[in-house]
Amino acid sequence: MSRRFNAMAAATFALATALATAPVHAADTLATWTVASSNLQGLSSHDGTVEAVRQTVVAAQVAGAVVALPVKAGDRVKAGQLLARLDARAAEQQAGAATAQVEVARAAQQVATLEVQRQRQLFASRFISQAALDQAEAQFKTATAQANAQLAAAQAARTESGYFAVKAPYDGIVTELNVMPGDMAMPGRPLLTLFDPSSLRVAVAVPESSATQLRNRLTTPVTVEIAGQRITATRWEVLPAADTVTHTVIVRIDLPAGTVATPGGFARTWLPGGPGGDPRTFIPSRALVQRAELKAVYVVGADGRALLRQVRVGPASGDQVEVLSGMKPGERIALDPQAASRRP
């Protein structure tokens, strides 16, 4: 019984081996595409950086120890929300003293007011001289000025005491904390960084020679790719100044509201190209293999073998997709990736 089982197993193994090593006739007729480049007028690819239209480095306006830091990096905050609190005990005491000085000045002003009223009545009855009335008037004006000065000083003290509570200037996201509780905050020292996620843009440096051509095509739609997501810009502009070192100009591309991106992140943009622009390479979209973040094609060599090669692609145009790197003209690629994967 054991010998019969072993014989059957050997026969099954031999059959499987024969099938695995048998030639695949579909591979012999594998459809291929020869890669070629074109020099057509269209779009040119550029690397850019995501920027926040509103990004603020929040700093302290007064000196004080950080006693509370209720936010952390990544938190979403509302306008007016507390971001940090500094030790304000001394400032609050000064504000209290200034308020007391206001009460003193008002009391003195009230006495001077009553006095000048009596002096005016006496002068009207000709019981005092003009000089006595003038002196009472001067004392009244002095008391009024002192009361106003004390009131202004008290308001300034209250305003300064408010600087010890650092609040968000607008709705945003905290990206970085520069202090910890217990640190000493100084005027101008950054406490944290905040940006508005509802208003983002992409900055691209292009050669100065392309600036005039781009300015003449500001109505052309522009596409941006961020983290694999292609986005159509709402508007774009070419800044008038050029960098004196790199001789490039900055193109700013506004992203639509709701775009999810991180300031400082990478973005690929496609700007209008002119006649005689850089050659561009397109392949059929069905030849592209996508596995998670990997994009590749099967390249068929002179010996007929199909090898998987990673490529970097741009925007699709109909049933074709632009290849930015990884291919060169004259190479052949398989149009059916599944058939190519089974090719011996």
Side-chain angles (χ1 to χ4, degrees):
M1 186 68 176
S2 176
R3 290 179 180 179
R4 181 180 300 177
F5 177 79
N6 292 336
M8 293 177 61
T12 303
F13 177 77
L15 178 61
T17 304
L19 292 175
T21 58
V24 180
H25 297 289
D28 297 335
T29 59
L30 184 65
T32 62
W33 172 281
T34 301
V35 178
S37 61
S38 62
N39 209 19
L40 301 176
Q41 176 178 350
L43 303 178
S44 57
S45 174
H46 299 270
D47 294 342
T49 304
V50 179
E51 296 181 342
V53 176
R54 289 200 300 177
Q55 181 164 327
T56 306
V57 178
V58 181
Q61 294 181 264
V62 292
V66 179
V67 296
L69 199 63
V71 296
K72 62 182 182 299
D75 284 355
R76 287 183 174 268
V77 296
K78 296 291 185 180
Q81 181 177 333
L82 181 68
L83 301 178
R85 186 179 297 279
L86 310 182
D87 187 358
R89 288 176 295 179
E92 291 172 352
Q93 292 174 356
Q94 292 177 357
T99 301
Q101 291 295 328
V102 170
E103 297 300 326
V104 173
R106 284 177 174 173
Q109 180 186 18
Q110 185 177 6
V111 171
T113 301
L114 296 175
E115 180 63 22
V116 75
Q117 290 175 353
R118 286 193 294 267
Q119 295 296 328
R120 288 170 182 170
Q121 292 175 357
L122 292 175
F123 179 77
S125 302
R126 299 185 181 276
F127 287 113
I128 61 172
S129 63
Q130 181 66 46
L133 178 61
D134 292 342
Q135 183 177 3
E137 294 280 2
Q139 291 176 350
F140 168 73
K141 293 179 181 179
T142 300
T144 301
Q146 289 177 347
N148 292 335
Q150 290 296 337
L151 179 61
Q155 292 174 344
R158 284 196 298 269
T159 300
E160 184 174 354
S161 64
Y163 294 154
F164 290 84
V166 182
K167 299 180 179 180
Y170 48 79
D171 294 354
I173 298 177
V174 178
T175 59
E176 183 181 5
L177 292 179
N178 302 100
V179 295
M180 295 295 291
D183 289 348
M184 189 66 182
M186 300 298 294
R189 179 187 176 184
L191 299 177
L192 51 89
T193 304
L194 182 75
F195 80 95
D196 182 2
S198 65
S199 183
L200 300 174
R201 66 189 177 202
V202 173
V204 181
V206 300
E208 187 179 359
S209 58
S210 304
T212 302
Q213 187 179 87
L214 289 173
R215 290 190 181 98
N216 293 333
R217 303 185 63 180
L218 292 177
T219 57
T220 303
V222 168
T223 303
V224 180
E225 181 178 354
I226 300 175
Q229 179 185 7
R230 290 192 176 92
I231 305 165
T232 301
T234 56
R235 62 178 296 273
W236 60 284
E237 62 179 350
V238 183
L239 298 187
D243 189 279
T244 56
V245 177
T246 61
H247 299 290
T248 58
V249 295
I250 299 298
V251 177
R252 284 180 176 172
I253 305 169
D254 293 341
L255 301 177
T259 300
V260 179
T262 303
F266 173 80
R268 177 164 296 281
T269 64
W270 285 268
L271 299 175
D278 295 336
R280 304 171 65 200
T281 301
F282 290 88
I283 63 173
S285 301
R286 60 192 178 101
L288 190 65
V289 179
Q290 298 192 36
R291 297 175 181 170
E293 297 297 327
L294 173 70
K295 295 180 176 64
V297 295
Y298 278 97
V299 181
V300 181
D303 58 356
R305 298 179 60 190
L307 300 178
L308 190 64
R309 182 191 298 176
Q310 184 177 2
V311 293
R312 187 159 59 93
V313 300
S317 177
D319 60 350
Q320 293 191 332
V321 63
E322 183 180 6
V323 177
L324 303 176
S325 64
M327 298 294 303
K328 58 184 179 181
E331 292 184 309
R332 289 191 305 150
I333 61 174
L335 291 176
D336 187 350
Q338 291 186 357
S341 66
R342 297 191 300 268
R343 191 178 181 89

